[in-house]
């Protein structure tokens, strides 16, 4: 069997969920499990959080149906709402909480005949300008939806653009825009993603929406998981499958883009970009061999990558390699590759077997 697995510590996810809840005592939380729980496996994550989660948040009706099949009672929030008119009735059958982010969605909701009313979350565009109604439109639709037959709870939601930049003026403005609407009668309010849960208590409102923090990665460039008290959930582990000596001046990998400046020992690792490792990770990106940091060298191939073992003379074929995980934060690898932990975790491909354990 190809030696590459994503081992996933479900107790770490439970721990991180408890951290989110402890940040905002008395509030409830939609655990964000869209995109296959950021690559961790929605079935296993929902099951792991079965007893403690108040709800789950997803990006599509298909994802919502999967979560509903696993959890009959939890609230399930559809973050982008319905994509077409025909979906409202199915959303009602599944008993979802539905975002309404546009006038079109609001009209479609009012035109739908539903088997039961839905909890509706009017989404305010507080400044991110991706989804959401203007303040005036929220006021207008609040009046039209409150008491409508299709609506059970009428709630307010918005999303931060820069909550990961501490002290951001944009975040202040977004928070103010949200607070400005609270003269209206909303049953529940939700604003905080992981970054806001961890650092902006004024944004906690009634329902948190923790995503990345559940998986033990940081939303911040300057605050690591250990400082935040979070535990990495996924370790992507491979093996050294070949080792060789390379003379000064020799190139390694496609294009020979990395050249040995000293007599070098090169290790080949059983993980490549078809597994989700970033192809653009540059030479120097950290990789852990036998628990020691070494540098990625040369271009990442589809199924393999190469590392410089010159300073690790005892390393040998069969040694364990951690691409990221418990000992090497995914955020560090992401930073080296010019991306985010979010992208690396959610892009681990299907061919990588997930192995689950409890601590
Ligand atoms: C609307 C919304 N809420 C919450 C989240 C969770 O954000 P994070 O993973 O930064 O906690 C996301 C993630 O993209 C989102 O789109």
């Amino acid at each position: 069997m190809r030696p590459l697995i994503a081992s996933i510590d479900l107790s770490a996810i439970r721990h991180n969920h408890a951290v989110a809840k402890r940040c905002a005592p008395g509030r409830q939380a939609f655990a964000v499990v869209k995109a296959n729980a950021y690559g961790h496996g929605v079935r296993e994550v929902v099951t792991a959080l079965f007893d403690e989660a108040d709800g789950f948040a997803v990006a599509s009706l298909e994802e919502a149906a999967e979560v509903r099949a696993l959890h009959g009672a939890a609230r399930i929030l559809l973050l982008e709402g319905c994509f077409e008119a025909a979906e409202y009735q199915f959303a009602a059958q599944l008993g979802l909480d539905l975002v309404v982010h546009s006038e079109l969605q609001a009209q479609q909701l009012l035109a739908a005949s539903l088997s039961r009313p839905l909890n509706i979350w009017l989404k305010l565009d507080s400044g991110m300008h991706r989804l959401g109604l203007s303040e005036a439109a929220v006021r207008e639709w609040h009046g039209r939806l409150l008491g409508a037959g299709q609506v059970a709870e009428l709630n307010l939601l918005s999303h931060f653009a820069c909550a990961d930049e501490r002290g951001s003026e944009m975040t202040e403005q977004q928070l103010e825009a949200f607070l400005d609407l609270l003269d209206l009668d909303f049953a529940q309010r939700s604003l905080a993603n992981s970054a806001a849960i961890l650092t902006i208590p004024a944004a906690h409102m009634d329902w948190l929406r923790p995503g990345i923090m559940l998986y033990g990665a940081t939303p911040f460039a300057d605050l690591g998981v250990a400082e935040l008290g979070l535990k990495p959930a996924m370790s992507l582990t491979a093996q050294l499958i070949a080792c060789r000596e390379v003379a000064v001046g020799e190139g390694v990998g496609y294009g020979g883009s990395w050249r040995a400046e000293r007599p070098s020992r090169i290790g080949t690792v059983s993980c490549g970009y078809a597994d989700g490792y970033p192809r653009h990770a540059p030479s120097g990106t950290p990789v852990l061999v036998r628990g020691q940091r070494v540098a990625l060298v040369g271009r990442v191939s589809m199924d393999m990558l190469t590392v410089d073992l010159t300073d690790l003379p005892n390393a040998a074929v069969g040694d364990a390699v951690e691409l990221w995980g418990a000992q090497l934060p995914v955020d560090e690898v992401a930073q080296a590759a010019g991306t985010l932990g979010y992208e690396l975790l959610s892009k681990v491909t299907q061919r990588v077997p997930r192995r689950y354990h409890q601590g």
Side-chain angles (χ1 to χ4, degrees):
M1 208 178 105
R2 186 164 174 253
L4 176 66
I5 61 163
S7 75
I8 291 163
D9 179 355
L10 294 171
S11 67
I13 295 176
R14 274 197 295 272
H15 165 87
N16 298 332
H17 184 265
V19 171
K21 294 280 295 210
R22 263 205 309 278
C23 285
R27 319 300 164 96
Q28 295 189 280
F30 288 114
V32 182
V33 295
K34 62 186 176 149
N36 198 27
Y38 290 39
H40 293 69
V42 67
R43 197 172 328 125
E44 291 76 8
V45 171
V46 168
T47 305
L49 293 176
F50 192 95
D51 292 328
E52 45 266 75
D54 309 299
F56 298 94
V58 294
S60 70
L61 208 52
E62 292 75 11
E63 290 181 347
E66 202 175 351
V67 176
R68 179 55 80 221
L70 296 163
H71 204 308
R75 289 178 74 155
I76 302 172
L77 174 63
L78 204 48
L79 288 166
E80 294 157 49
C82 291
F83 296 107
E84 51 185 307
E87 292 188 345
Y88 289 85
Q89 172 51 10
F90 192 31
Q93 282 167 11
L94 291 174
L96 304 185
D97 279 48
L98 209 64
V99 163
V100 167
H101 67 73
S102 69
E103 309 234 1
L104 176 65
Q105 284 188 334
Q107 286 154 1
Q108 287 176 338
L109 171 68
L110 279 187
S113 101
L114 305 178
S115 51
R116 60 173 144 164
L118 289 158
N119 292 330
I120 297 299
W121 294 80
L122 278 180
K123 182 162 186 171
L124 167 70
D125 179 1
S126 53
M128 186 172 182
H129 303 326
R130 184 178 67 174
L131 290 181
L133 299 156
S134 66
E135 179 181 342
V138 169
R139 288 188 180 280
E140 184 198 332
W141 282 101
H142 177 273
R144 293 175 67 178
L145 293 179
L146 198 66
Q150 293 88 346
V151 179
E153 277 181 8
L154 186 58
N155 304 321
L156 181 67
L157 172 147
S158 193
H159 191 49
F160 284 122
C162 308
D164 54 315
E165 297 165 23
R166 273 163 310 135
S168 147
E169 232 172 76
M170 176 68 179
T171 301
E172 281 299 310
Q173 287 165 15
Q174 289 192 267
L175 181 55
E176 256 175 55
F178 194 89
L179 294 174
D180 276 352
L181 280 167
L182 296 188
D183 59 308
L184 297 177
D185 178 20
F186 288 108
Q188 312 278 333
R189 291 142 288 261
S190 176
L191 183 55
N193 57 0
S194 296
I197 291 165
L198 290 162
T199 58
I200 314 173
H204 286 164
M205 305 295 159
D206 304 303
W207 280 81
L208 314 169
R209 303 194 309 271
I212 195 70
M213 70 180 293
L214 294 180
Y215 307 106
T218 178
F220 304 105
D222 59 345
L223 257 182
V225 275
E227 291 161 274
L228 294 168
L230 301 172
K231 295 184 182 170
M234 181 195 290
S235 294
L236 185 62
T237 54
Q239 262 180 26
L240 279 181
I241 59 169
C243 283
R244 74 204 58 248
E245 307 296 328
V246 169
V248 173
E250 290 291 310
V252 170
Y254 283 117
S257 61
W258 183 87
R259 294 209 166 263
E261 290 177 357
R262 57 177 178 169
S264 298
R265 190 143 180 271
I266 299 299
T268 303
V269 175
S270 53
C271 180
Y273 64 77
D275 303 303
Y277 195 90
R279 200 188 80 85
H280 50 278
S283 292
T285 299
V287 174
L288 224 62
V289 176
R290 294 180 146 213
Q292 305 278 332
R293 275 166 192 254
V294 298
L296 174 83
V297 293
R299 287 191 199 149
V300 174
S301 309
M302 183 179 282
D303 313 306
M304 289 168 274
L305 54 82
T306 36
V307 293
D308 183 357
L309 299 176
T310 314
D311 298 326
L312 211 58
N314 292 334
V317 167
D319 280 353
V321 177
E322 182 174 301
L323 285 318
W324 62 68
Q327 301 171 75
L328 176 61
V330 67
D331 308 293
E332 257 187 71
V333 179
Q335 203 160 28
T339 182
L340 299 171
Y342 293 78
E343 185 177 12
L344 298 190
L345 294 173
S346 63
K347 278 193 172 167
V348 173
T349 59
Q350 281 219 308
R351 81 168 177 178
V352 180
R354 270 67 165 173
R355 296 274 165 73
Y356 293 91
H357 61 104
Q358 309 275 349

